[in-house]
Amino acid sequence: MSGKKFRFSLESVLELREHETEAARQSLAQAIRKRRQQEGQVEQINQRLTKLNREAPAPEQADLHTLRRYDAFRMDTRQLLDKAQRRLEALREQEQQARNEWTEKRQQEERFQTLRDQEEEEHREKMSDASRDFMDEQAVLRFNRTNRSTLL
């Protein structure tokens, strides 16, 4: 016996939750990309600063102008590194916020998915019960027809 097709009563809400979860996932992926890119920049600046420190001119071999210029360049690079590290920390915080939002959206979606699964199971049980009742009724009718014809 074919019954009516299952339709989740809150399907539109579930679809909205799925959309929100996907948007949060994409936001998290973008935050991760930005953080990794910034980590690369911090590493490059750090390597540049390390190289500058290794290749520092010897004070006895360089004039005052060269030493000042080197020190200014090194300080600029250090400031650039500090700024890049602060940006990296901000991006890490943004990534964590995006991760928390994605987790929350995913949990909301899962709650609706669980509710949908429960409603679908109830629907299947009702359809199974209705089918069983129909088959029982058909069997009783057939039995009555068979017995009535033998009684006559």
Side-chain angles (χ1 to χ4, degrees), residues 8 14 104-118:
F8 180 46
L14 176 59
E104 180 182 325
K105 297 294 182 185
R106 192 185 74 225
Q107 288 172 347
Q108 290 174 1
E109 177 188 342
E110 286 174 354
R111 283 192 288 269
F112 275 94
Q113 189 64 43
T114 300
L115 184 59
R116 181 192 186 284
D117 292 346
Q118 289 171 349

Side-chain angles (χ1 to χ4, degrees), residues 88-136:
L88 177 59
E89 190 56 38
L91 288 172
R92 284 181 175 151
E93 288 174 13
Q94 289 176 3
E95 178 184 349
Q96 188 58 45
Q97 288 173 350
R99 187 177 309 283
N100 292 343
E101 183 176 336
W102 173 71
T103 301
E104 180 182 325
K105 297 294 182 185
R106 192 185 74 225
Q107 288 172 347
Q108 290 174 1
E109 177 188 342
E110 286 174 354
R111 283 192 288 269
F112 275 94
Q113 189 64 43
T114 300
L115 184 59
R116 181 192 186 284
D117 292 346
Q118 289 171 349
E119 275 191 27
E120 187 174 22
E121 182 61 29
E122 288 173 12
H123 175 76
R124 268 195 236 113
E125 287 175 7
K126 286 179 184 176
M127 296 308 295
S128 177
D129 290 347
S131 178
R132 192 176 327 97
D133 291 346
F134 177 76
M135 295 299 212
D136 288 348

